[in-house]
């Protein structure tokens, strides 16, 4: 019995830092603030349509909607509370206040015409974060305390259980969606793809009749019935299998990544956007967010890693798999589009790269591109995004993908790296560069 209690305790009351909980507070607050500001005019017009009012949930007792003038002032008040929630000002009061107000405000919004279930998870996340100590770091309150000599609290289980609860709420929303599909009239037709294919077709016809364009991939996908079978099965696996994401952390991260990609697939197939889900913010609780602000190992790089130019400035070095067609293509891509000739290259199979790896205590890993720049070592997706910063327009915009959590980026990177030979092929030996580029390769 004690063994199982220990498992439950370690799982639900894991020790995490207050910064991680604070980041979830800021992320949910910023998304809700974006929604309130971008939809402000639309919400005010909605409030004037008194005949369409049909109260639901905690507001089902209302007989009539509030006046448009009062609703305008309430909207301003919600926005102000949202800002205080983000910055963490007097959070013991403003946190619970915003949690309650957000529930009431979004319930009121859903009392017109259509109930938007895709925002339920956001509100539940805000309620949890507003009622716990999510402003013990990265907030106005914590800044004021540090000015008085207090330190930011260390990692503690009180910051862990709210994160686990948020994960459970997220998983529960998808599991209920799967149960609803099974309980509906179409039931298992969702799994064989026929129901999904019909829904996509109806959606495309409706959009065409209303004068808007169908989803980008509709014309291609509709002719391939077998694709809908695969997507139907995947949908059921992700929804009904969602509780497995709570068993192990790695399972949770994999489930979050796949579900995030599923929402982008829905967008490209049906043109339907679930913004909170597509942004990835709904899945942040499944990842170790501390790595977002500490993405790279800061290590002292040996003098061997530095190659001086004529003016004495050190150049960054890119280590890559020299027999991989994809990696060689990436090097050629960089050579053609870099802002200036600043990068030096070395294949991971070379003696030069091996010495760099040994001198800097970097494990030999042919599946990872490595960038050594300004005494900092970047691996995998961090290296790719760092390189993108120094490419010509528009390729430098690729660096903005850094907003995606590192673990999710590296998860996708690892899938491509593991299949790079199968998908793109390989060479028997390292490809020799052109004559005018040989000076850029350290082993030549």
């Amino acid at each position: 019995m004690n063994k199982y209690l220990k498992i439950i305790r370690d799982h639900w009351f894991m020790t995490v830092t207050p910064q991680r909980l604070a980041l979830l507070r800021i992320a949910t607050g910023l998304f809700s603030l974006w929604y309130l500001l971008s939809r402000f005019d639309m919400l005010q017009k909605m409030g004037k349509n008194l005949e369409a009012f049909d109260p639901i949930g905690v507001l089902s007792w209302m007989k009539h909607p509030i006046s448009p003038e009062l609703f305008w002032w309430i909207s301003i008040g919600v926005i102000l509370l949202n800002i205080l929630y983000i910055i963490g000002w007097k959070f013991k009061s403003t946190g619970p206040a915003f949690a309650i107000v957000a529930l009431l405000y979004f319930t009121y919004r859903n009392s017109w015409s259509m109930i938007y279930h895709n925002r339920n998870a956001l509100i539940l996340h805000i309620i949890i974060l507003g009622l716990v100590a999510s402003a013990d770091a990265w907030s106005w309150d914590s800044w004021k305390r540090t000015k008085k000599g207090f330190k930011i609290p260390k990692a503690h289980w009180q910051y862990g259980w709210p994160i686990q609860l948020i994960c459970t709420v997220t998983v529960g929303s998808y599991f209920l969606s799967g149960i609803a599909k099974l309980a509906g009239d179409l039931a298992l037709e969702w799994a064989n793809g026929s129901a999904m294919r019909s829904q996509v077709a109806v959606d495309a016809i409706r959009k065409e009749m209303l004068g808007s364009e169908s989803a980008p991939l509709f014309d291609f996908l509709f002719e391939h019935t077998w694709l809908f079978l695969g997507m139907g099965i995947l949908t059921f696996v992700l929804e009904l299998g969602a509780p497995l994401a709570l068993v192990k952390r790695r399972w949770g991260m994999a489930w979050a990544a796949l579900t995030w990609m599923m929402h982008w697939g829905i967008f490209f197939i049906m043109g339907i956007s679930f913004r909170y889900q597509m942004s990835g913010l709904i899945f942040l609780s499944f990842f170790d967010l501390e790595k977002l602000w500490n993405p790279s190992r800061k290590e002292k790089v040996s003098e061997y890693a530095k190659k001086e130019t004529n003016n004495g400035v050190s150049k960054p070095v890119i280590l890559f798999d020299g027999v991989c067609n994809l990696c060689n293509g990436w090097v050629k891509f960089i050579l053609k589009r870099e802002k200036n000739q600043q990068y030096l290259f070395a294949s991971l199979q070379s003696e030069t790269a091996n010495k760099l790896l040994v001198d800097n205590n970097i494990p030999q890993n042919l599946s990872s591109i490595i960038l050594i720049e300004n005494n900092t070592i970047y691996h995998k997706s961090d290296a790719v995004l760092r390189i993108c910063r120094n490419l010509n327009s528009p390729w430098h915009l690729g660096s903005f993908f850094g907003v995606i959590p590192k673990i999710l980026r590296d998860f996708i990177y690892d899938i491509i790296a593991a299949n790079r030979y199968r998908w793109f092929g390989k060479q028997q030996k390292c490809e020799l560069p052109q004559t005018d580029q040989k000076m850029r390769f350290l082993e030549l």
Side-chain angles (χ1 to χ4, degrees):
M1 186 67 178
N2 291 335
K3 176 183 177 182
Y4 295 111
L5 288 175
K6 184 179 184 301
I7 292 174
I8 294 173
R9 185 188 66 213
D10 293 343
H11 185 69
W12 269 95
F13 300 96
M14 56 184 179
T15 301
V16 299
T17 63
Q19 287 88 349
R20 184 170 171 189
L21 198 59
L23 188 56
L24 291 175
R25 183 197 84 243
I26 295 170
T28 54
L30 288 175
F31 187 90
S32 62
L33 182 62
W34 165 81
Y35 176 85
L36 292 172
L37 293 176
S38 63
R39 301 289 195 279
F40 188 84
D41 290 339
M42 181 272 291
L43 292 172
Q44 302 312 307
K45 291 179 181 177
M46 174 203 75
K48 296 177 181 178
N49 187 9
L50 305 182
E51 292 77 15
F53 182 66
D54 185 15
I56 62 170
V58 294
L59 297 180
S60 57
W61 54 270
M62 294 183 66
K63 300 297 183 181
H64 307 285
I66 58 180
S67 66
E69 294 78 13
L70 179 57
F71 182 63
W72 187 92
W73 283 107
I74 290 175
S75 299
I76 295 297
V78 173
I79 291 172
L80 293 176
L81 268 178
N82 194 339
I83 294 172
L84 296 179
Y85 168 87
I86 294 171
I87 65 177
W89 182 80
K90 295 188 181 299
F91 195 77
K92 286 186 177 180
S93 300
T94 58
F98 180 63
I100 296 171
V101 167
L103 172 63
L104 296 174
Y105 189 86
F106 280 88
T107 301
Y108 190 75
R109 186 268 171 271
N110 283 343
S111 296
W112 265 269
S113 67
M114 184 182 293
I115 300 176
Y116 291 87
H117 294 290
N118 59 302
R119 282 193 291 272
N120 290 346
L122 170 65
I123 304 307
L124 291 173
H125 290 176
I126 289 174
I127 291 173
I128 295 170
L129 292 165
L131 297 177
V132 299
S134 60
D136 282 2
W138 292 0
S139 66
W140 178 271
D141 290 352
S142 64
W143 177 75
K144 293 289 288 184
R145 284 195 295 267
T146 56
K147 294 288 285 184
K148 294 179 180 179
F150 295 96
K151 294 183 178 180
I152 293 177
K154 296 181 179 180
H156 194 273
W157 61 263
Q158 70 168 329
Y159 306 116
W161 73 262
I163 293 174
Q164 194 63 25
L165 182 57
I166 291 173
C167 291
T168 304
V169 166
T170 303
V171 162
S173 66
Y174 284 93
F175 183 69
L176 287 175
S177 178
I179 294 297
K181 287 185 175 66
L182 282 178
D185 295 333
L186 298 176
L188 292 177
E189 288 186 26
W190 278 101
N192 63 32
S194 59
M196 181 183 294
R197 188 167 182 261
S198 299
Q199 186 178 23
V200 170
V202 170
D203 180 75
I205 294 171
R206 178 180 61 83
K207 289 178 178 177
E208 186 174 336
M209 291 179 64
L210 294 174
S212 59
E213 296 183 1
S214 59
L217 297 179
F218 168 74
D219 292 334
F220 169 76
L221 289 174
F222 190 74
E223 300 299 326
H224 298 79
T225 309
W226 63 272
L227 286 173
F228 287 94
L229 172 62
M231 289 186 292
I233 294 174
L234 178 61
T235 299
F236 260 121
V237 169
L238 291 176
E239 292 182 343
L240 295 178
L244 294 176
L246 300 175
V247 177
K248 290 186 178 181
R249 191 145 192 83
R250 287 185 177 274
W251 293 5
M253 291 188 289
W255 175 83
L258 291 172
T259 309
W260 174 72
M261 289 188 281
M262 178 187 74
H263 281 290
W264 276 98
I266 292 172
F267 172 74
F268 285 116
I269 295 170
M270 299 183 66
I272 300 175
S273 57
F274 300 97
R275 291 178 175 83
Y276 189 49
Q277 289 78 0
M278 290 170 61
S279 68
L281 296 179
I282 190 176
F283 306 113
L284 285 186
S285 57
F286 291 91
F287 298 93
D288 299 325
L289 299 178
E290 294 85 346
K291 295 183 179 180
L292 285 174
W293 62 83
N294 186 25
S296 306
R297 286 193 297 142
K298 302 290 183 180
E299 302 179 54
K300 188 178 183 302
V301 181
S302 68
E303 289 300 317
Y304 191 79
K306 299 179 181 180
K307 183 171 181 178
E308 302 279 326
T309 60
N310 291 332
N311 59 5
V313 179
S314 298
K315 287 190 172 185
V317 181
I318 297 175
L319 307 181
F320 66 100
D321 182 357
V323 299
C324 167
N325 287 340
L326 175 62
C327 304
N328 278 289
W330 173 236
V331 170
K332 292 177 182 177
F333 184 88
I334 296 170
L335 288 169
K336 289 181 180 180
R337 294 167 178 85
E338 60 183 333
K339 292 179 181 178
N340 47 61
Q341 295 185 353
Q342 62 173 312
Y343 290 117
L344 300 174
F345 302 88
S347 70
L348 287 164
Q349 289 83 358
S350 68
E351 293 184 7
T352 302
N354 185 60
K355 182 167 178 55
L356 285 171
L357 296 175
V358 172
D359 288 353
N360 295 286
N361 297 318
I362 307 173
Q364 174 69 274
N365 182 8
L366 294 178
S367 66
S368 174
I369 187 172
I370 298 171
L371 170 66
I372 303 174
E373 181 180 14
N374 296 329
N375 294 333
T376 304
I377 299 172
Y378 301 89
H379 302 262
K380 297 186 179 181
S381 63
D382 283 335
V384 174
L385 297 180
R386 183 75 181 183
I387 293 169
C388 285
R389 290 177 56 182
N390 295 313
L391 299 182
N392 291 320
S393 178
W395 306 109
H396 71 285
L397 297 176
S399 61
F400 289 115
F401 283 101
V403 301
I404 299 174
K406 173 180 169 58
I407 292 181
L408 180 55
R409 287 189 274 112
D410 282 349
F411 177 79
I412 298 172
Y413 181 99
D414 288 339
I415 292 176
I416 298 174
N419 296 279
R420 66 191 186 283
Y421 294 151
R422 186 189 314 164
W423 293 347
F424 303 97
K426 63 182 294 188
Q427 305 172 18
Q428 295 300 318
K429 59 182 180 179
C430 298
E431 183 177 344
L432 295 176
Q434 298 178 8
T435 304
D436 60 340
Q437 297 173 344
K438 285 186 177 181
M439 61 179 296
R440 309 280 302 280
F441 290 77
L442 293 178
E443 68 264 33
L444 298 179

